[in-house]
């Protein structure tokens, strides 16, 4: 196990491969050319790095027409990267106003396929305070009241449980240093809020914009003041 851990840490720790993995946290699939531009390296070099990530089963590749698209092999890769990012030391702040301005990427963003940042953590806190979900030894579960809440909210828990992935879990937020919701429930919450135009994705960024409708609905359902 120790040897395997050292190999994995060395693999991820390479600057070019780290840049590739950070780009893929967007949740979308990218071509080798797009990843080369993102990592500021040559097509030949990106091919070598992608090969190593594929061999380690951190990435998978899908072919569509003449193009190959790379993405994470499973969602646990995204969770691990988000947790690693939380180890980055926070910048020293000597004075902080009550109305601190958050950069968009820290305020509200996607973490692969679920909501993260200040809003993602606030949403999780609200669900815990309302006892819609409960924290049991750093593991999230849906309460009996929560089952009714999700049904009323329009999320089918039975369908979510049938998905071949983790149902519900805490994911350590790298900017807030606290947990937000991940798993199929986290993905369904984000998808619904985007479909209902509470949130809008920004082009070429993981940052998420909260709409005026979203401000009202987040206050109504989660008591979040944007």
């Amino acid at each position: 196990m120790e040897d395997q851990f050292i190999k994995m840490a060395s693999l991820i720790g390479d600057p070019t491969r780290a840049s590739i993995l950070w780009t893929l946290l967007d949740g979308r699939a990218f071509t080798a050319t797009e990843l080369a531009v993102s990592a500021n390296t040559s097509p030949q070099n990106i091919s070598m790095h992608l090969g190593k990530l594929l061999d380690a089963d951190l990435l998978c590749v899908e072919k569509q027409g003449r193009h190959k698209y790379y993405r994470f092999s499973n969602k646990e890769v995204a969770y691990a990267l988000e947790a690693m990012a939380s180890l980055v030391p926070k910048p020293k702040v000597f004075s902080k106003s009550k109305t601190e301005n958050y950069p968009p990427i820290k305020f509200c963003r996607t973490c692969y396929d679920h909501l993260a940042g200040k809003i993602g953590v606030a949403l999780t806190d609200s669900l815990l305070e309302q006892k819609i979900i409960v924290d049991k030894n750093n593991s999230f579960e849906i309460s009996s009241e929560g089952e009714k809440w999700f049904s009323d909210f329009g999320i089918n828990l039975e369908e979510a449980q049938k998905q071949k992935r983790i149902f519900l879990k805490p994911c350590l937020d790298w900017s807030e240093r606290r947990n937000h919701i991940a798993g199929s429930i986290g993905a369904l919450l984000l998808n619904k809020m985007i479909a209902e135009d509470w949130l809008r994705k920004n082009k070429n960024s993981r940052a998420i914009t909260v709409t005026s409708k979203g401000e009202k609905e987040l206050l109504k359902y989660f008591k979040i003041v944007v």
Side-chain angles (χ1 to χ4, degrees):
M1 176 61 72
E2 181 180 352
D3 289 342
Q4 291 299 318
F5 178 80
I6 291 171
K7 289 179 181 178
M8 187 61 68
S10 176
L11 182 74
I12 296 174
D14 176 87
T16 300
R17 292 192 286 273
S19 179
I20 292 169
L21 294 170
W22 188 254
T23 299
L24 290 171
L25 262 176
D26 182 274
R28 295 176 295 165
F30 288 83
T31 66
T33 300
E34 290 169 332
L35 291 171
V37 171
S38 175
N40 193 28
T41 189
S42 67
Q44 294 79 11
N45 194 41
I46 204 73
S47 178
M48 180 269 291
H49 287 294
L50 289 172
K52 289 187 176 182
L53 292 170
L54 287 168
D55 289 342
D57 198 30
L58 293 178
L59 301 186
C60 62
V61 60
E62 300 171 2
K63 189 172 182 179
Q64 293 187 11
R66 296 181 300 168
H67 300 288
K68 291 182 178 179
Y69 292 88
Y70 296 85
R71 65 170 71 247
F72 291 145
S73 59
N74 59 70
K75 294 172 176 59
E76 280 64 37
V77 179
Y79 303 154
L81 292 172
E82 182 83 1
M84 285 179 63
S86 70
L87 298 175
V88 177
K90 279 190 173 182
K92 292 182 180 179
V93 179
F94 298 100
S95 63
K96 185 186 294 184
S97 65
K98 291 183 180 179
T99 56
E100 178 183 13
N101 290 321
Y102 273 70
I105 196 70
K106 291 185 177 181
F107 181 70
C108 188
R109 68 175 182 277
T110 56
C111 172
Y112 198 61
D113 62 356
H114 55 271
L115 194 64
K118 182 181 180 182
I119 297 298
V121 170
L123 184 147
T124 302
D125 287 345
S126 174
L127 293 178
L128 287 166
E129 289 171 8
Q130 296 183 67
K131 295 182 170 47
I132 294 168
I133 62 173
V134 292
D135 188 342
K136 291 191 175 180
N137 298 319
N138 202 34
S139 176
F140 289 161
E141 295 180 8
I142 295 176
S143 66
S144 55
E145 296 89 344
E147 291 178 3
K148 181 179 184 306
W149 185 92
F150 277 104
S151 177
D152 293 342
F153 194 66
I155 290 180
N156 189 320
L157 295 181
E158 290 185 3
E159 290 299 319
Q161 288 176 321
K162 292 178 182 178
Q163 296 182 19
K164 295 181 178 179
R165 59 172 300 183
I166 293 173
F167 177 65
L168 175 65
K169 66 168 288 181
C171 181
L172 186 60
D173 194 282
W174 65 260
S175 56
E176 294 295 304
R177 311 301 170 99
R178 296 171 57 223
N179 288 325
H180 57 245
I181 289 177
S184 60
I185 292 299
L188 288 170
L189 281 168
L190 175 60
N191 290 341
K192 178 176 176 61
M193 288 187 279
I194 290 175
E196 297 289 336
D197 197 36
W198 298 14
L199 307 174
R200 292 177 188 168
K201 289 187 175 182
N202 296 325
K203 187 176 181 181
N204 300 322
S205 173
R206 289 203 286 137
I208 292 283
T209 297
V210 181
T211 66
S212 56
K213 178 183 179 182
E215 291 181 9
K216 296 175 183 176
E217 299 298 337
L218 287 172
L219 178 60
K220 174 182 174 182
Y221 285 96
F222 305 105
K223 300 179 178 63
I224 297 173
V225 178
V226 179

